[in-house]
Amino acid sequence: MLQPDTFQHKGLRQQLVNELRAHGLAADDVLAAIGRVPRHCFFDSGFLRFAYSDKAFPIGAGQTISRPSTVAFQTSLLRVEPQQRVLEVGTGSGYQTAVLIEMGAQVYTIERQRELFLRAQTLLGQMRYRAHFAYGDGHKGLPSYAPYQRILVTAGAADIPPVLLEQLDVGGRMVIPVGQGSQQMTLVERISPTEVRVSTHGSFEFVPMLQGRV
Ligand code: SAH
């Protein structure tokens, strides 16, 4: 059952937003979106105190919900505008999906683990967040709805998957952690049909982006 969003939750969430603002790494529209998503609903009720601290946390199936400062940083780098089509690779808990929806994006999200795909789809439905959920390997993207103005990868990729690049619109931005062990947060901007600009934005640790679906 969906947990209520009480004054206590709202207070804790506001504190988290204030902390993230103090870090100075997140854009105002992203902080506003984070302020609206009840993050505790993505946790079992016994783990409330973890929901609003800046930590990654296990979500089952060997995966983690990214820490709020990482969500804030990746989403800020992505620069989402309302109505844009955004492809997210690695649905996981669905928390990042909800943040993107709060920013007004049309979200297409892919997860390779069936258990997580099903759980996130159910939860976001209960929370009245509408997205397109796909079960598959994000290395292949989601060609039926391409091109995307934004692509966000939330697992650590060995390289920039060429198929994802093909699905990125001209003028579009892709944010993807690249590397093994730890990753460089990488921004890929498609500046013309044949050219991209690649820049890196610090070191992070993500669970690996794996092949195939399970
Ligand atoms: N955005 C998520 C973060 C989850 S961690 C959240 O807010 O909770 C990364 C997720 O990427 C995991 O759920 C993992 O199963 C998924 N993943 C890893 N490799 C993938 C791939 N090739 N395609 C799709 N999802 C993948």
Side-chain angles (χ1 to χ4, degrees):
M1 208 187 67
L2 195 61
Q3 298 174 58
D5 192 22
T6 64
F7 282 114
Q8 186 197 9
H9 296 126
K10 290 190 171 89
L12 290 169
R13 194 152 69 243
Q14 191 53 51
Q15 269 175 31
L16 173 67
V17 167
N18 293 345
E19 268 174 51
L20 295 174
R21 182 175 289 115
H23 291 176
L25 295 172
D28 285 345
D29 56 348
V30 174
L31 291 173
I34 287 175
R36 288 192 294 269
V37 179
R39 194 167 191 268
H40 61 280
C41 293
F42 297 82
F43 289 67
D44 287 336
S45 54
F47 296 113
L48 169 65
R49 66 194 182 88
F50 297 101
Y52 294 109
S53 63
D54 190 21
K55 293 203 173 73
F57 198 78
I59 54 171
Q63 303 304 316
T64 53
I65 182 172
S66 302
R67 58 192 292 190
S69 54
T70 301
V71 171
F73 186 71
Q74 279 200 291
T75 314
S76 298
L77 199 53
L78 199 62
R79 288 205 202 141
V80 182
E81 287 159 31
Q83 307 309 325
Q84 283 183 329
R85 265 204 313 285
V86 180
L87 177 67
E88 179 195 18
V89 174
T91 313
S93 67
Y95 175 70
Q96 171 76 72
T97 315
V99 172
L100 292 168
I101 295 168
E102 284 285 1
M103 298 194 66
Q106 293 175 30
V107 185
Y108 299 80
T109 184
I110 313 176
E111 174 55 55
R112 68 179 287 278
Q113 296 209 39
R114 191 173 158 78
E115 180 190 338
L116 296 175
F117 153 76
L118 291 172
R119 207 199 299 157
Q121 193 171 26
T122 303
L123 178 62
L124 265 67
Q126 288 171 340
M127 297 174 81
R128 304 273 183 270
Y129 283 124
R130 257 186 285 277
H132 182 97
F133 294 87
Y135 167 50
D137 181 352
H139 287 98
K140 298 180 185 151
L142 210 54
S144 358
Y145 301 96
Y148 302 94
Q149 285 82 51
R150 299 289 185 263
I151 298 179
L152 177 60
V153 179
T154 66
D159 287 299
I160 299 167
V163 178
L164 289 186
L165 265 187
E166 281 166 24
Q167 295 180 16
L168 184 63
D169 211 355
V170 174
R173 294 162 77 85
M174 165 156 66
V175 172
I176 176 169
V178 180
Q180 269 146 359
S182 73
Q183 293 84 30
Q184 285 298 314
M185 191 62 76
T186 305
L187 169 66
V188 184
E189 296 165 275
R190 177 171 282 302
I191 49 183
S192 80
T194 53
E195 294 160 282
V196 294
R197 182 165 49 217
V198 179
S199 54
T200 56
H201 301 265
S203 185
F204 290 80
E205 267 179 47
F206 282 82
V207 295
M209 184 173 175
L210 300 171
Q211 300 288 339
R213 61 179 198 183
V214 290

